[in-house]
Amino acid sequence: MALSTCLSQMSIALPTGIDGSSRSMIKVQSISFTEKSWSPLLKLDSKPRSLTVKTRSTICMSLQQASRTKVAVTPLELEDPKETPLNLYRPKEPYTATIVSVERIVGPQAPGETCHIVIDHDGNVPYWEGQSYGVIPPGENPKKPGAPHNVRLYSIASTRYGDSFDGKTASLCVRRAIYYDPETGKEDPSKAGVCSNFLCNAKPGDKVKITGPSGKVMLLPEDDPKATHIMIATGTGVAPYRGYLRRMFMENVPNFKFDGLAWLFLGVANSDSLLYDEEFAGYLKDYPENFRYDKALSREEKNKKGGKMYVQDKIEEYSDEIFKLLDNGAHIYFCGLKGMMPGIQDTLKRVAEERGESWEQKLTQLRKNKQWHVEVY
């Protein structure tokens, strides 16, 4: 049972102290609860007065509720369609959207640059959590003179309601792709990632051609609100999970009340490379029973063998618990660079064999049960 409290507008005069000092008055001038936040305004009045208590507009709510206020979202019609939105816009006829903002979201010691990019599609390119947008950078394809660049796919890092909660924007998490000459050690701009640099260099108001949405393998199953979701990411592979977690813990969606377990494993180089860390830490504070968050910092932490700590090492650390959760129907997701999967697969295979199980048979069963979700690039 949650601990409840009643807060009111009140004035309380404290009695004279034993040493004869004057009494103090604490006034709580106004307290209100809204959909987003509440805060009391306190003033200290040192003038001596008689002890009085005046109360009006009493509001009672649990402390648990106070810390878990969710954000209202619109339009709720985005919950209505039963069919997944797919390929509403194709490469030959893309949708022209507008850049709202571009924000660097890593610290100064992070290797490379990662940006959070908000795109305004004005509600014309709806999507579901776990899907991707295609982006066509401006310019000519050097391999096909006269033709546009090929489409680059990016996992969407927001819920269907976007960062503004109005269903008109989508967010991308993009790492700027740069190339260093192995002989000189200098950056070679001619080999830089065309699309990632276009997006990271974009300014508010710039136009961007998008396609999609695409993808069904990473859609968040919502038929069981008490389900367990184990999410494993390296770097920008955390993008779809940000959407999942905002839907689970940030947004007030009337027909989706999550009461299961979401467990995020995020592997990055160092603390400055952590993505959306404050957001995830907030969920951990407000929903300790429903959210777990484990980080693998390869340049700052050591695994049990004394080597660098990678995400597969964290998985091995909790392998017994993870396998039990999978046996009980948990969904497991992998998103990030292709290079993450061999190490993870090797770890899972070794753990399965130590448990006297066949990893191949277990993987086949997980796929059959639609518990296994992989999107790597």
Side-chain angles (χ1 to χ4, degrees):
M1 180 179 295
L3 177 64
S4 295
T5 183
C6 294
L7 301 176
S8 313
Q9 186 177 57
M10 63 179 69
S11 298
I12 304 175
L14 304 179
T16 304
I18 297 175
D19 60 357
S21 60
S22 62
R23 293 163 290 190
S24 296
M25 173 75 74
I26 297 177
K27 292 182 178 179
V28 181
Q29 287 199 324
S30 63
I31 296 177
S32 61
F33 296 93
T34 68
E35 275 295 319
K36 293 188 177 180
S37 63
W38 66 270
S39 59
L41 177 63
L42 303 180
K43 286 188 177 181
L44 183 66
D45 184 353
S46 61
K47 295 179 181 179
R49 298 179 183 172
S50 60
L51 177 64
T52 59
V53 178
K54 297 179 181 179
T55 305
R56 71 171 184 268
S57 303
T58 301
I59 298 175
C60 297
M61 72 183 300
S62 70
L63 291 178
Q64 186 180 44
Q65 287 175 319
S67 66
R68 297 185 181 184
T69 303
K70 292 189 175 183
V71 180
V73 293
T74 57
L76 292 179
E77 287 78 11
L78 290 176
E79 302 292 323
D80 294 342
K82 303 302 180 185
E83 294 295 324
T84 309
L86 286 172
N87 301 314
L88 303 176
Y89 291 88
R90 298 180 179 274
K92 289 186 177 180
E93 295 182 349
Y95 180 81
T96 301
T98 305
I99 298 291
V100 175
S101 62
V102 177
E103 177 188 3
R104 177 188 169 101
I105 55 173
V106 292
Q109 300 304 314
E113 180 180 26
T114 302
C115 296
H116 180 75
I117 299 162
V118 180
I119 297 173
D120 181 2
H121 59 79
D122 200 30
N124 294 312
V125 197
Y127 56 89
W128 286 358
E129 297 74 23
Q131 289 192 292
S132 299
Y133 270 172
V135 177
I136 304 175
E140 185 178 283
N141 189 333
K143 296 182 179 179
K144 298 179 181 179
H149 284 288
N150 293 332
V151 174
R152 271 71 164 186
L153 290 177
Y154 293 93
S155 296
I156 298 172
S158 52
T159 72
R160 66 193 71 186
Y161 298 100
D163 284 10
S164 54
F165 309 106
D166 60 4
K168 294 184 178 181
T169 67
S171 299
L172 305 180
C173 182
V174 180
R175 176 166 177 165
R176 185 191 295 274
I178 55 178
Y179 175 81
Y180 290 94
D181 187 292
E183 294 183 1
T184 64
K186 294 182 179 180
E187 181 181 342
D188 185 350
S190 67
K191 296 182 179 180
V194 174
C195 196
S196 65
N197 280 274
F198 159 66
L199 289 171
C200 290
N201 290 334
K203 301 291 187 296
D206 287 353
K207 301 301 179 182
V208 54
K209 293 181 179 180
I210 60 175
T211 65
S214 63
K216 296 179 73 172
V217 70
M218 294 292 285
L219 292 177
L220 182 66
E222 298 185 356
D223 53 324
D224 180 6
K226 294 184 178 295
T228 294
H229 303 272
I230 304 169
M231 301 164 283
I232 299 164
T234 57
T236 57
V238 77
Y241 308 144
R242 179 181 183 258
Y244 296 172
L245 295 170
R246 286 170 77 91
R247 185 165 173 84
M248 291 171 176
F249 302 128
M250 181 179 288
E251 297 177 343
N252 183 15
V253 182
N255 64 329
F256 179 62
K257 302 297 183 183
F258 181 69
D259 194 30
L261 172 65
W263 192 353
L264 173 63
F265 291 87
L266 176 58
V268 293
N270 56 22
S271 299
D272 270 15
S273 303
L274 288 168
L275 305 173
Y276 310 112
D277 188 54
E278 289 186 10
E279 198 166 298
F280 300 152
Y283 304 145
L284 194 62
K285 178 182 177 182
D286 290 343
Y287 298 88
E289 306 91 357
N290 303 100
F291 182 54
R292 293 175 66 173
Y293 180 28
D294 283 279
K295 297 168 267 191
L297 309 178
S298 61
R299 299 188 184 181
E300 294 180 3
E301 299 175 326
K302 299 293 184 183
N303 60 27
K304 64 181 182 180
K305 296 179 181 178
K308 292 183 176 182
M309 175 69 80
Y310 292 111
V311 70
Q312 60 262 34
D313 298 309
K314 279 292 180 182
I315 294 171
E316 184 172 12
E317 186 178 328
Y318 295 100
S319 58
D320 282 342
E321 191 172 357
I322 289 172
F323 270 66
K324 288 177 182 176
L325 290 171
L326 292 174
D327 289 341
N328 289 324
H331 291 270
I332 189 165
Y333 309 80
F334 304 88
C335 191
L337 296 175
K338 288 180 180 178
M340 72 184 277
M341 289 309 295
I344 290 173
Q345 290 267 35
D346 289 344
T347 297
L348 293 172
K349 182 178 180 179
R350 184 173 64 256
V351 171
E353 291 174 348
E354 290 172 354
R355 292 165 57 90
E357 300 180 58
S358 165
W359 173 242
E360 287 73 16
Q361 291 180 4
K362 193 171 192 68
L363 179 57
T364 298
Q365 193 62 44
L366 290 172
R367 286 172 170 162
K368 182 179 179 180
N369 295 342
K370 298 182 179 180
Q371 295 172 250
W372 184 263
H373 312 264
V374 180
E375 184 172 84
V376 292
Y377 40 85

